[in-house]
Amino acid sequence: MKIVTRFAPSPTGYLHIGGARTAIFNYLFAKKHNGKYLVRIEDTDKKRSTNEAVDAIHDGLNWLGVNSSEKIIYQSKNLESHVKVAYELLEKGFAYKCFLNPEELNHLRTKSRENGIPIKSPWRNNNSISENKEFVIRLKMPLNGTTTINDYVQGKVSVKNEILDDMIILRSDKTPTYMLSSVVDDNKMGITHIIRGDDHFNNAFRQIQIINFLKWDKPLYAHIPLIHGTDGSKLSKRHGATNLIDYHNMGYTSEAMFSYLLQLGWTTRDDEDDYEFNKVVKLFALENINKSPAKFDIKKLNNINSRYLNNMDTNNIYKLIIERFELILNIHQERRLKSLLPELLKRVDVYVDLKDDFEWIIEDNFLCKDENKLKQLKENNLMINEIGDLLKNCEWTKETIDHCLKTYIQEKSIKFKDVGPIIRIALTGKTNSPDLVSIIYELGCTISLNRLNYNY
RNA sequence: GGUCCCUUCGUCUAAUGGUUAGGACACCGCCCUUUCACGGCGGCAAUACGAGUUCGAAUCUCGUAGGGAUCACCA
């Protein structure tokens, strides 16, 4: 059997990280079984759907690298076929017209809630027709028996059919509801495995009735738990960013995000904390997704991101940086930045935090501007200049630069910490940075001496 | 409230009847060291609670507590 999965977001907002994780699971499962992974935009609610949201979903999926195997499908284009199915169900006696007005419905709803009995319209058993009034089409849910789903994640779960409500499949304005559209499209697209958030678990028992009535092939289900915030409640904005693309903007790499989202609820089950893509594809299994919701932990993401950062090819990181900060560098500046990059990356979680370092690396004529630090430089001007003079005649290798500095402190009978911090400030304007010898070496003779022989 | 689901270190998780309950992140300490980091070594820390089954329970059963999902002419 060829496996087909789908990610089916509704374009009513940005791409949520929970949705992104659902997409990842769908993508991986299809990949693992050499199947297809499709994206279907559920835009049947025209009032709430926007083109901006469609673009946002698109951008998010692209960034994460979980693109559809085929052209993206827009549910709104299939509406006619959904309506047809609604009427087919009606003709076959699996559905009925319901003429309830809003007041009557409201009354029914409060009553059904009180009794714990699902909504069953009185029109279910009333074949008379009041053609003048608006109607909806409701599914005639079975009254007896149970429906059982063998869910990859939730396990075997049974529900009594009597608790199923006669859900609306066609609205009074003759548009199909999600409950219908989703089932029809899944069938048409040949979806074999429905992997979605467990907020849909209840829907599965209701939707499966349509499939039964029509004698369609049943898809297999995997209802994955939602992501929670640190306080255990459903992830929302007050827990921090929930928009996937925000993480891109904050400087996280897509590989790290992919890896982190994946290990929220799933594990490779070995003691190596390694989520390399090819390995993950091989090991992935829906059965191993945990039932309980995981809490989003930014610290773990930071750790993962920093590890990816330090393993990435310098040229790739360099490209990300100059794109993000719109830097235009000459070959000297490029060389300096690239050669310092590996050391710099050890000190940050996200590459945008490197921003503070660009100036002293890139600007040929950079000089420390901070007043308090300048004061220190002034007080030690003589020492700074002396070291500048020593370096002037120094052969430009790391070894000799190192030797040069060591000789100086030896002759003066002082400690490295008596000169190190000052020189560091003179060269970078900062109190922490990669090691001095590397900085001096990579900055080059001209620039280093510029900053050291300056009259502060 | 009805229905369904969940509960192992602070967090993500491993252990599918027998382990000193393992790993990772975070935190703390030590080492390395010219700063800050990286790295190395070590430490703290969990089976929600109560019964039952069993020679033996994190694991099976029941109950309690807590948490979550859902109950739209939204998706």
Side-chain angles (χ1 to χ4, degrees):
Chain A
M1 180 178 61
K2 171 102 170 171
I3 282 173
V4 187
T5 65
R6 78 341 186 239
F7 174 56
S10 63
T12 53
Y14 53 78
L15 180 59
H16 194 271
I17 53 178
R21 189 180 60 143
T22 306
I24 288 172
F25 285 143
N26 274 287
Y27 177 83
L28 272 182
F29 186 70
K31 259 277 183 287
K32 161 157 187 159
H33 294 100
N34 290 315
K36 274 196 295 187
Y37 155 81
L38 306 175
V39 172
R40 181 177 74 222
I41 305 287
E42 309 230 315
D43 54 349
T44 53
D45 185 349
K46 282 288 162 208
K47 283 179 234 106
R48 297 201 308 149
S49 301
T50 65
N51 289 332
E52 290 73 41
V54 172
D55 291 343
I57 289 166
H58 210 199
D59 292 347
L61 293 179
N62 258 335
W63 178 60
L64 260 195
V66 287
N67 303 302
S68 182
S69 307
E70 292 173 4
K71 234 178 101 187
I72 291 183
I73 291 159
Y74 290 85
Q75 188 157 66
S76 57
K77 293 193 176 145
N78 304 332
L79 252 34
E80 267 179 54
S81 68
H82 306 160
V83 173
K84 252 168 128 174
V85 172
Y87 279 98
E88 184 187 341
L89 255 3
L90 183 67
E91 277 159 33
K92 290 184 172 165
F94 297 128
Y96 59 92
K97 289 180 182 176
C98 167
F99 296 88
L100 249 30
N101 64 37
E103 293 83 55
E104 291 171 317
L105 189 61
N106 236 318
H107 181 69
L108 216 61
R109 187 175 298 126
T110 44
K111 230 176 76 183
S112 86
R113 196 142 183 169
E114 275 169 19
N115 309 332
I117 298 166
I119 291 183
K120 296 256 161 36
S121 163
W123 292 93
R124 179 182 168 110
N125 299 311
N126 186 344
N127 292 328
S128 63
I129 293 169
S130 43
E131 282 293 357
N132 299 330
K133 286 207 285 182
E134 284 193 332
F135 66 87
V136 298
I137 296 183
R138 287 183 182 274
L139 200 67
K140 204 181 267 184
M141 287 294 182
L143 266 13
N144 306 307
T146 59
T147 298
T148 301
I149 291 178
N150 209 341
D151 191 280
Y152 275 99
V153 177
Q154 305 292 330
K156 196 170 178 174
V157 180
S158 296
V159 148
K160 287 198 179 81
N161 288 339
E162 62 193 43
I163 66 125
L164 270 18
D165 68 319
D166 284 356
M167 65 184 184
I168 293 171
I169 53 176
L170 197 77
R171 301 188 188 97
S172 55
D173 65 358
K174 303 292 174 286
T175 59
T177 61
Y178 160 79
M179 283 298 177
L180 208 223
S181 296
S182 172
V183 174
V184 178
D185 277 351
D186 284 340
N187 177 265
K188 189 173 148 200
M189 290 159 69
I191 305 299
T192 58
H193 293 70
I194 294 179
I195 304 164
R196 65 203 332 186
D198 71 4
D199 49 336
H200 283 290
F201 195 42
N202 292 281
N203 291 338
F205 293 92
R206 308 202 281 160
Q207 291 180 315
I208 215 166
Q209 308 306 330
I210 299 177
I211 296 168
N212 284 340
F213 287 146
L214 267 11
K215 297 192 166 58
W216 285 349
D217 288 338
K218 282 200 189 98
L220 270 11
Y221 293 94
H223 287 95
I224 62 179
L226 272 18
I227 300 175
H228 282 186
T230 41
D231 61 352
S233 67
K234 196 168 138 179
L235 196 63
S236 71
K237 278 191 179 158
R238 60 174 218 286
H239 296 113
T242 56
N243 185 350
L244 178 74
I245 219 68
D246 282 349
Y247 290 88
H248 172 230
N249 295 334
M250 285 185 270
Y252 292 94
T253 65
S254 61
E255 292 89 344
M257 202 62 197
F258 185 100
S259 166
Y260 177 62
L261 253 18
L262 179 57
Q263 58 189 278
L264 233 39
W266 183 78
T267 163
T268 55
R269 285 179 189 239
D270 53 31
D271 273 349
E272 295 160 50
D273 196 19
D274 168 25
Y275 284 72
E276 193 271 326
F277 185 78
N278 291 318
K279 171 184 173 182
V280 158
V281 169
K282 230 183 281 166
L283 292 174
F284 188 73
L286 292 172
E287 295 90 329
N288 292 344
I289 298 174
N290 276 311
K291 277 190 192 188
S292 51
K295 292 173 187 169
F296 189 86
D297 180 14
I298 192 84
K299 284 183 180 154
K300 181 86 175 186
L301 209 210
N302 283 337
N303 174 267
I304 291 170
N305 196 67
S306 130
R307 270 169 28 211
Y308 272 91
L309 236 38
N310 285 291
N311 287 327
M312 262 175 92
D313 183 80
T314 302
N315 288 316
N316 292 339
I317 284 277
Y318 175 77
K319 258 183 250 161
L320 283 178
I321 290 171
I322 59 167
E323 262 171 47
R324 168 63 62 99
F325 294 101
E326 298 174 345
L327 300 175
I328 299 166
L329 305 185
N330 64 37
I331 53 164
H332 304 292
Q333 294 167 324
E334 175 177 338
R335 202 218 73 242
R336 292 205 293 268
L337 182 52
K338 274 186 179 170
S339 55
L340 252 4
L341 220 35
E343 274 303 312
L344 256 17
L345 287 171
K346 286 179 186 166
R347 293 162 169 78
V348 294
D349 290 328
V350 291
Y351 67 83
V352 296
D353 286 351
L354 257 30
K355 197 168 191 278
D356 290 345
D357 289 302
F358 293 155
E359 202 182 1
W360 66 264
I361 296 171
I362 293 168
E363 300 293 332
D364 290 8
N365 301 318
F366 169 84
L367 286 171
C368 176
K369 288 179 206 67
D370 182 275
E371 270 184 47
N372 287 326
K373 295 197 178 85
L374 268 176
K375 223 172 94 189
Q376 287 182 65
L377 294 180
K378 279 195 186 104
E379 284 164 7
N380 294 282
N381 215 339
L382 179 65
M383 182 182 77
I384 297 169
N385 293 160
E386 279 175 354
I387 289 174
D389 286 338
L390 274 175
L391 287 171
K392 199 182 294 177
N393 305 314
C394 177
E395 189 199 342
W396 213 254
T397 68
K398 284 191 181 180
E399 289 71 28
T400 46
I401 292 168
D402 186 47
H403 181 75
C404 188
L405 294 176
K406 295 247 168 76
T407 314
Y408 179 80
I409 60 169
Q410 227 167 36
E411 281 171 4
K412 298 272 178 183
S413 306
I414 51 177
K415 295 264 168 59
F416 208 110
K417 66 176 185 213
D418 297 322
V419 301
I422 299 298
I423 302 299
R424 175 166 287 109
I425 291 171
L427 292 171
T428 69
K430 300 179 68 176
T431 49
N432 58 45
S433 73
D435 80 284
L436 271 182
V437 174
S438 297
I439 289 177
I440 294 169
Y441 176 76
E442 299 297 353
L443 244 25
C445 186
T446 313
I447 291 177
S448 294
L449 293 188
N450 245 350
R451 297 176 194 180
L452 293 175
N453 280 334
Y454 190 78
N455 191 13
Y456 285 99

